[in-house]
Amino acid sequence: MIAYLKYIRRAIALLFFTILTISFIGYSFLGLQWATALQFIPSLLKFFIVSTSIGFFVIIAITLLVGRVYCSVICPLGILQDVIARIGRSFRKLKIYRYTRANNYLRYGFLLAIIISLFSGSILAFIFFDPYSLYGKIASATFRPAFILLNDMLSKLFEHFNIFITPIGLKNFSLVTFVVALFLLVTIIAFSYRRGRLYCNTICPVGTILSLLSRISLFKIQIQQSKCTRCGKCSTVCKSECIDIRNQKVDFDRCVGCYNCLTVCSENGINFKTFETKAMLRKIKPTEPVNENRRSFLGALITGLIGTSILTSIKAQSDDSNYKSLIPIKKKHPVTPPGSQSLAHLTEHCTACHLCVSQCPTHVLKPAVKEYGLIGFMMPYMSYSDSFCNFECKICSEVCPTGALLPLTVEQKKTLQIGKVFFIKENCIVYTSETSCGACAEHCPTAAVHMVVYKGSLRIPDTDQSICIGCGACEYACPAKPYKAIYVEGNPVHLVAQKPKEKLQETEAPSDFPF
Amino acid sequence: MKRRDFLVKGLGASFAAGLLAKHTHVFSAESAVQMAKDSYDLVAVMGGEPDVMFDRAIAAMGGISKYVKKGMRVVVKPNIGWDKAPEYAANTNPLLVKRIVEHCIQAGAKEVIVFDNTCDQWQRCYSNSGIEKAVKDAGGKLVPGNSESYYHSISISGGKRLKQAKEHEAILESDVFINVPVLKSHGGATLTIAMKNMMGIVWDRGYWHRNDLHQCIADFASYRKPTLNVIDAYRVMKQNGPKGVSLSDVITMKSLIISEDIVAADAAAAKLFGLNPDNVDYIKLASQMGIGNMNLEKLNIGRIKI
């Protein structure tokens, strides 16, 4: 039985990893709610808003019972590292792991720094260090574009053979987020390729918290000295590098519960044992000087952050029209996603996992670069340049695991005012060219933007902010270049719009042909 | 790789369609008195269900086999622009689309393709309009129009403002193009009917909006003439179009108009809506450009009441 634990672990881990990865690539997958509800930091954050969010509590309970199973089975970043390490080992000359001592100064230092940074009111630390959110960013910003690109290329290729694959198209690609995610991915690959679960045992705040809890786990993996032959096999397969074969000790703090050691031991010399106070007290805390490599990693991370935030995406402009709109649009507030309550609520609760960005069917949700400032770096905002929010869609509010977006009903969504429409007449084609347009009014779901008589048969947009929900359809549809003539200004606190007015029909259907 | 093929085919098809139109016109002028059914320029039906009205209308036009021959590739292009249920009349009636596809398949069409370049998210439009199910049930093929890669450059020699566009390859590869718009009010274009519905077979609509919408609609109609225009006026959105807000925007007219002449079809539909076609700029422009005839008194109109 014990020997099979490794395979059970692999099966469950694969399930979680598949559910999350497919969801982050943009497809809906059964069990997503469960897979995200068990993520430690997100469910903890959500708990302060929704008292039924007890996923973190389940993780604590599991940890107190058998240790950091979360890290091997539920955490997608942990599983990703296992996958990389597994592949990496087959390429490396040195195919084994070696025991190393714990880097306690570093890991507790990191945890302390993260906790202090949270007290400053910024959630930025979780954006960069919560393992689930890190994986989300990596999958959403690198795997997803790669998948879509491949799909769309195959779609073109197979068309020649009369096989039709629907192209997806990528509207909410953010170069900055891609660069950051790619950097994170490369870092994680380097860490896990060389040192297995090094990230989890030095940087990851969840890893450190759970490692503290696992000190008092009821069942722990330990070497049974009577049976152990010191062959060292267990130590060579330990991704956490936490089996000290010389002293026949397992540093269970750092054990992520992969159970490779149990499978490999032919003598049954390493196994679960119940909690032993003495063993715990005797445990020494070795110290080690701060590693320069890791310090430079942090430095690089911060430099990368600042560097990338300076970059802005440049858009090509075509010059097909014989006029130009002149007044640039300056939004005071970006539009926050439906369900985010307010700008403050979003920036206090979002860990930028980008599940909403991946799941958004219209790709209107995009990771922010400068829109929210540093405090909301990479958090989702409504980008109306390439898309708009579907009137009856509320997927983002349903998938959010942190409570940054709270669930909405369709009826709530239809009157939820996330922003208000503003019309710049001087940029409007009807005003500048004196020809018909009406693309904005055409797309408006509530008739908050509607056409009124202007000159002769010409009609020009007029707006009614009281019934506007801020979906951005008008802004998206407006063909004025380079500056749009209509745009949505975000509501820093979401409001409720009035229901669209219903005007009864004055005319009746003709009873005979009018020609 | 097939762009040149597309062009050749497209030109060939429109040339053939032009010949056919001319031929029938001459034919009808010669024996207008004797020829009752086959010579209608336009048939209007009132008082039936969408599918029944189409059955009667197409019979009066001479039957679907007059247009769809065995082995032909047919495109049926309804309005599927919006993520709205059928009763809101923002999209073409699914029952009508289904019946048209069935007729084409019965006539021996090789394939019947249905698509639209939608405004709302395309999968939601296809599904919530009821058209996806209707087309599948009828044996047609629904294809996406959401990617620029489907669209190929064409030039519009007779266009005044619109000289170039990118047209969906399904139309370029088709032998028969049946345009099936729904009659609706429209904030920008006053009305959306058959000519306006063709904005759903091109890619960059923003250009049209920037460069005199009415003229561009007429320009495109000078290039692409559908084999047949079937106007759905079963439910008609009288206000807040083309998307609509509530059911109070919609009245039930139980009508249908069919014609080979896109300008005549639009003019008749405008009258049905309660507007003078002269007040819809693109109809007037298209008539002036000689694309069709908006003067309904000059046409041989079949009127069927059920």
Side-chain angles (χ1 to χ4, degrees), chain A residues 138-374:
Chain A
I138 289 171
S140 179
T142 65
F143 299 171
R144 190 171 65 101
F147 173 80
I148 292 175
L149 200 70
L150 183 73
N151 176 84
D152 292 5
M153 271 162 53
L154 286 180
S155 160
K156 269 203 106 75
L157 186 73
F158 278 92
E159 206 187 293
H160 299 312
F161 307 107
N162 269 342
I163 300 166
F164 296 99
I165 302 170
T166 307
I168 303 165
L170 185 60
K171 286 179 180 170
N172 51 359
F173 179 76
S174 156
L175 184 66
V176 172
T177 312
F178 172 74
V179 171
V180 172
L182 195 65
F183 174 77
L184 293 168
L185 177 64
V186 170
T187 311
I188 288 293
I189 289 176
F191 267 54
S192 52
Y193 178 74
R194 296 190 54 195
R195 299 277 305 273
R197 291 299 198 104
L198 184 64
Y199 174 85
C200 311
N201 283 319
T202 44
I203 297 170
C204 180
V206 181
T208 310
I209 291 168
L210 296 184
S211 82
L212 287 169
L213 290 170
S214 70
R215 292 182 163 217
I216 52 166
S217 293
L218 191 59
F219 296 100
K220 286 181 176 180
I221 291 173
Q222 287 187 349
I223 294 175
Q224 288 171 307
Q225 294 176 358
S226 56
K227 290 181 183 170
C228 176
T229 61
R230 294 191 198 230
C231 74
K233 271 190 203 160
C234 55
S235 185
T236 64
V237 295
C238 178
K239 290 173 290 193
S240 295
E241 304 175 330
C242 71
I243 303 175
D244 178 6
I245 204 71
R246 193 169 300 165
N247 298 313
Q248 293 180 316
K249 289 272 183 297
V250 179
D251 182 3
F252 194 64
D253 273 26
R254 287 187 286 154
C255 170
V256 293
C258 74
Y259 310 129
N260 288 353
C261 54
L262 306 189
T263 308
V264 85
C265 183
S266 51
E267 307 297 320
N268 201 16
I270 187 162
N271 211 331
F272 273 110
K273 256 204 140 181
T274 44
F275 177 61
E276 281 171 33
T277 331
K278 275 182 195 166
M280 193 191 85
L281 287 176
R282 246 188 281 128
K283 201 166 283 172
I284 40 152
K285 282 187 206 165
T287 59
E288 200 180 288
V290 174
N291 192 324
E292 276 302 315
N293 283 335
R294 277 158 221 162
R295 185 170 276 176
S296 59
F297 158 69
L298 248 193
L301 190 69
I302 291 159
T303 323
L305 236 173
I306 296 164
T308 48
S309 63
I310 294 164
L311 284 169
T312 48
S313 52
I314 301 153
K315 281 215 154 166
Q317 285 165 11
S318 88
D319 49 351
D320 55 33
S321 72
N322 41 16
Y323 90 100
K324 294 262 181 291
S325 52
L326 297 170
I327 303 168
I329 289 172
K330 282 195 179 114
K331 290 192 186 189
K332 283 193 213 97
H333 301 285
V335 187
T336 60
S340 63
Q341 323 288 316
S342 65
L343 190 59
H345 180 93
L346 179 78
T347 52
E348 279 162 16
H349 294 92
C350 175
T351 59
C353 76
H354 295 171
L355 187 56
C356 56
V357 172
S358 291
Q359 291 279 307
C360 177
T362 62
H363 290 193
V364 66
L365 281 174
K366 201 173 170 180
V369 179
K370 296 190 296 186
E371 285 76 7
Y372 296 125
L374 189 65

Side-chain angles (χ1 to χ4, degrees), chain A residues 152 155-156 159-160 162 164-169 171 318-323 361-363 388-395 414 429-430 433-452 457-460 471 473 476-481 500-515, chain B residues 1-2 6 42 44-46 73 82-84 88 119-124 128 141 144 146-147 149-150 152 161 169 186-191 196 204-214 236-253 255-257 267-269 271-273 279 281 296 301-305:
Chain A
D152 292 5
S155 160
K156 269 203 106 75
E159 206 187 293
H160 299 312
N162 269 342
F164 296 99
I165 302 170
T166 307
I168 303 165
K171 286 179 180 170
S318 88
D319 49 351
D320 55 33
S321 72
N322 41 16
Y323 90 100
T362 62
H363 290 193
F388 62 97
C389 184
N390 186 289
F391 191 46
E392 295 189 0
C393 175
K394 54 190 174 56
I395 289 174
K414 281 177 171 177
I429 282 147
V430 182
S433 301
E434 302 212 333
T435 56
S436 295
C437 177
C440 52
E442 195 175 327
H443 282 69
C444 181
T446 65
V449 183
H450 49 270
M451 305 301 281
V452 292
S457 66
L458 266 187
R459 286 185 295 169
I460 199 162
C471 71
Y476 159 77
C478 178
K481 278 185 177 180
K501 289 153 196 162
E502 284 195 30
K503 200 173 75 184
L504 283 172
Q505 287 299 327
E506 289 150 14
T507 51
E508 281 187 12
S511 56
D512 205 350
F513 299 107
F515 42 79
Chain B
M1 71 137 201
K2 285 187 183 167
F6 286 151
L42 183 147
V45 192
M46 193 179 267
R73 308 176 79 158
W82 307 100
D83 175 16
K84 289 269 193 176
Y88 286 89
C119 297
D120 282 332
Q121 207 266 337
W122 70 277
Q123 280 117 327
R124 289 186 69 115
N128 294 343
K141 192 170 145 195
N146 66 317
S147 164
S149 64
Y150 292 130
H152 304 278
R161 294 294 296 272
E169 59 195 30
H186 196 284
T190 316
L191 286 179
K196 176 77 178 65
D204 184 12
R205 292 186 281 239
Y207 183 92
W208 299 36
H209 279 276
R210 274 190 299 275
N211 295 279
D212 193 346
L213 182 61
H214 286 286
V236 174
M237 188 187 287
K238 289 281 283 184
Q239 61 192 14
N240 286 330
K243 190 171 188 171
V245 176
S246 68
L247 287 175
S248 60
D249 298 330
V250 180
I251 62 170
T252 307
M253 278 194 187
S255 302
L256 183 140
I257 288 164
K271 282 209 161 169
L272 200 62
F273 190 89
N279 295 333
D281 289 353
L296 298 176
I301 298 177
R303 297 173 182 80
I304 301 167
K305 278 194 136 187

Side-chain angles (χ1 to χ4, degrees), chain B residues 57-122:
Chain B
I58 194 69
M61 291 296 286
I64 192 78
S65 52
K66 186 172 150 194
Y67 305 97
V68 179
K69 308 273 185 254
K70 210 165 185 307
M72 278 186 168
R73 308 176 79 158
V74 182
V75 171
V76 174
K77 160 62 177 81
N79 187 335
I80 331 176
W82 307 100
D83 175 16
K84 289 269 193 176
E87 56 270 26
Y88 286 89
N91 304 308
T92 305
N93 192 301
L95 200 54
L96 174 64
V97 178
K98 185 181 176 189
R99 198 74 191 114
I100 295 173
V101 174
E102 283 170 353
H103 271 271
C104 295
I105 287 173
Q106 270 170 22
K110 189 174 150 202
E111 60 177 3
V112 184
I113 289 175
V114 180
F115 80 94
D116 194 5
N117 182 3
T118 65
C119 297
D120 282 332
Q121 207 266 337
W122 70 277

Side-chain angles (χ1 to χ4, degrees), chain A residues 379-399:
Chain A
M379 287 180 190
Y381 78 106
M382 308 289 276
S383 168
Y384 296 144
S385 53
D386 296 309
S387 193
F388 62 97
C389 184
N390 186 289
F391 191 46
E392 295 189 0
C393 175
K394 54 190 174 56
I395 289 174
C396 55
S397 77
E398 282 165 353
V399 296

